[in-house]
Structure formats: structure tokens, C-alpha cells
Amino acid sequence: MKHPGPIPTRTTDRPLARAIAVRPVQAPPPAGGRGRRRRLADQGRAYAFLLGGLICFALFSWYPAIRAVVIAFQKFTPGSDPEWVGTANFTRVVQDPEFAAAWRNTLTFTVLALLIGFAVPFVLALVLNELRHARAFFRVVVYLPVMIPPVVSALLWKWFYDPGAGLANEALRFLHLPTSNWSNGADTALVSLVIVATWANMGGTVLIYLAALQSIPGELYEAAELDGASLLQRVRHVTVPQTRFVILMLMLLQIIATMQVFTEPFVITGGGPENATVTVLYLIYKYAFLYNDFGGACALSVMLLLLLGLFSAGYLRLTRTDGEAA
């Protein structure tokens, strides 16, 4: 006997089946009192952790900043009552002969750090990204200076720059090249400090660049190679545009950091020779702990804060405008 085949479905059942298939899933019933208490307890712990962080920021960051702004308008000496003097601290600081030298040295240091220290980490990241063997080893080698305490690093370079028995001049003598005064010369001291700062701080920047480079799709490089692009053209038209945001952000952070340079001139040169390495932050230290003039130190700090704040706001606005236009 022949099999009758599948039984046809009635057309009247199809809308019902479709309605059952698309029927939304009912939400679970609201939890009882125990679930509500658990959610409240979780939220309470979260707000407690948040409150702890806010208290730490308030005590160790916000309060000192606000207090420094207030002291900038006072004659303040620890152990005595402060006296309101208005803008007298700002006037006295501006008339200091070291004021102009400190700002000139700080701006020069920042420009040299951009010319020397900003390109070197990017080039190193490009080289490390192309390695196929011992990549982890070279990452550790590049990052190793960051793990050395800044004061220890500065002391090592101070011995390295010693004009007598320093390793730098010994190497030059071995190669029969003329020696240099390095950090002891007024013309070479600031450049020597830029080299120290670049060596000590570039490890973290290199790793950030490496992470950005490894996030670039390989298809872009393959397309550029098929079009006959050289290595420099691939870097210019693929690498730089793809890492533009990281480059701009790191440039801003580097400018802010180099404008606050202190450890290298304090440890290696002491602001010399002939005030060639006196920076704004080092001058703030001198006002506070050598001259016992906390009002002048805070006035200079407020000037630096306003300058960096205005620069950061303008920089972010310009880069955001360029990004939107692109």
C-alpha cells in the first residue's frame, strides 16, 4: 500500500503557530525581599569603594591644590599665622632674575624632548614590531630603565657624565674622539638631561606604541605592498594615520611631563652650571625649601598650573577639531 505522505497543515493553524513563535518571553517575577536586600548590599559596597577613592583624591590631590592656590595670595611661614598679601607673591616671583631663566630652560627642555625623545620610542616600537625572534626579550630590555628608581637612574647618569673618569668620556678616548663636559658645560648640560629623561621614561611609551601597532589590520599593509608602497610610504600612509590618536595623546602627556622636569636637574646638575638647567619646578623647590618662601612657591605653582591647563584645553580642542574634519 502506498504511503500517503505528509499530512498537509491547515492554513488556519499557521497564524496561530506564528503568533506562538514570536510571543515575547515573559520577564521573571520581581525578586522578593531577600533579592532586594542583596542588591542594596551590593550597591552599598560599590558606593563605599567609590567613597574611599573620592576621599583619597580629596585629601591628597584636591585639597593640596586648593590650599596652594590660597597660599599663593598669602605670606605663609609654617608655625605662624598666614597674612593676606594679594598679588605681592606673584610680583616678587616675576621680578626674580631666575624666573626668566627657569621658564626659558623649561621650554627649551620641552622642545628638545619632543625632537629627541618623542621620535625615538616610535622608531623603537616599529623595529620591535617587525621582529620575529626574541621579541619578549627586547621588550624587557627596553622597559628595564622604567623599573629603576628615578633618583638611582639620575645618579648612574651623573657618574656616566663625569668629565674625569666617566664612562662617556672614557669611551670617547678609546675611540680617539674629543671629550665633552656633558652635564658640567653650560652649552651641553640641558641636552644631557634630555638624553637621561628619554632613556629613563621611554619604555612605557614604547609598549603603548607596540599595542597600537599590533591593533592595525594586516590587510592594510598587504594592500599597500600590492600597490608598490615602500617601507617609509607604508609608515606614512598606514601606520601614522592608524595610530594618530595614540600619538597625539602621548604628545600631550609628554609635554605636560617635561614641563614639570625636576629629578634630573636636582640630582645631576643642581640647577647649574650658571643656571643653565634651572627649571620651573626646581625653582619652586628652591622657594619652598631653600628660601622658606611658601607663598612664592605656590604663586609659581599656580602660574605653571594655569599655563598647562590652558595649553591642554587648547591642544585637545585643536586635535578634536582636526579629527572631526578628517
Side-chain angles (χ1 to χ4, degrees):
M1 181 177 181
K2 188 176 179 182
H3 194 275
I7 301 174
T9 307
R10 292 183 302 172
T11 56
T12 55
D13 294 338
R14 290 177 182 176
L16 179 61
R18 188 179 299 110
I20 295 174
V22 300
R23 186 172 56 185
V25 179
Q26 296 292 334
R34 181 179 300 177
R36 189 178 297 108
R37 287 194 299 269
R38 182 177 299 175
R39 287 198 303 272
L40 291 176
D42 293 340
Q43 293 177 359
R45 283 192 294 268
Y47 283 115
F49 281 112
L50 179 62
L51 180 62
L54 291 176
I55 291 175
C56 289
F57 271 104
L59 290 178
F60 300 106
S61 181
W62 300 333
Y63 173 75
I66 296 173
R67 183 63 175 153
V69 174
V70 175
I71 294 176
F73 297 93
Q74 295 177 339
K75 181 180 180 182
F76 179 82
T77 303
S80 61
D81 295 333
E83 178 184 351
W84 189 265
V85 295
T87 59
N89 291 327
F90 294 89
T91 304
R92 187 177 67 259
V93 167
V94 172
Q95 294 174 351
D96 189 345
E98 289 185 310
F99 178 82
W103 282 103
R104 182 176 61 252
N105 294 336
T106 301
L107 294 175
T108 304
F109 185 94
T110 301
V111 173
L112 291 175
L114 286 177
L115 295 177
I116 299 174
F118 190 72
V120 172
F122 188 73
V123 174
L124 280 177
L126 289 174
V127 173
L128 292 178
N129 192 50
E130 295 297 326
L131 292 178
R132 294 295 178 265
H133 304 286
R135 182 184 296 181
F137 170 76
F138 286 108
R139 287 180 183 177
V140 173
V141 171
V142 170
Y143 192 75
L144 187 61
V146 181
M147 296 185 286
I148 301 176
V151 175
V152 176
S153 175
L155 289 174
L156 289 174
W157 278 91
K158 184 177 182 180
W159 167 78
F160 182 83
Y161 283 145
D162 187 272
L167 185 60
N169 280 343
E170 288 294 333
L172 292 176
R173 293 189 190 98
F174 179 78
L175 298 174
H176 302 286
L177 296 175
T179 59
S180 174
N181 287 327
W182 299 108
S183 59
N184 291 332
D187 298 332
T188 57
L190 207 58
V191 178
S192 302
L193 297 187
V194 171
I195 295 174
V196 175
T198 301
W199 177 84
N201 301 306
M202 69 178 180
T205 306
V206 171
L207 295 184
I208 294 175
Y209 278 137
L210 268 176
L213 291 174
Q214 292 175 0
S215 65
I216 300 176
E219 294 81 2
L220 297 178
Y221 290 107
E222 294 175 0
E225 290 179 0
L226 291 176
D227 291 338
S230 63
L231 176 61
L232 293 179
Q233 290 175 335
R234 292 198 299 270
V235 171
R236 177 183 176 184
H237 296 289
V238 177
T239 305
V240 173
Q242 291 295 316
T243 58
R244 179 177 177 274
F245 175 77
V246 177
I247 292 174
L248 293 176
M249 186 55 62
L250 288 178
M251 180 180 290
L252 174 62
L253 295 177
Q254 178 169 339
I255 292 174
I256 294 175
T258 51
M259 286 289 291
Q260 302 178 69
V261 59
F262 172 75
T263 304
E264 290 81 8
F266 176 75
V267 176
I268 299 177
T269 61
E274 302 174 4
N275 288 336
T277 57
V278 172
T279 60
V280 175
L281 216 61
Y282 186 74
L283 187 59
I284 292 173
Y285 162 80
K286 292 178 68 175
Y287 267 98
F289 300 104
L290 298 183
Y291 307 153
N292 202 29
D293 184 0
F294 288 89
C298 290
L300 195 55
S301 301
V302 170
M303 294 181 189
L304 182 61
L305 173 65
L306 291 176
L307 177 65
L308 292 179
L310 292 174
F311 169 77
S312 301
Y315 182 87
L316 292 175
R317 183 174 181 82
L318 287 175
T319 53
R320 183 181 61 183
T321 303
D322 293 342
E324 292 175 354

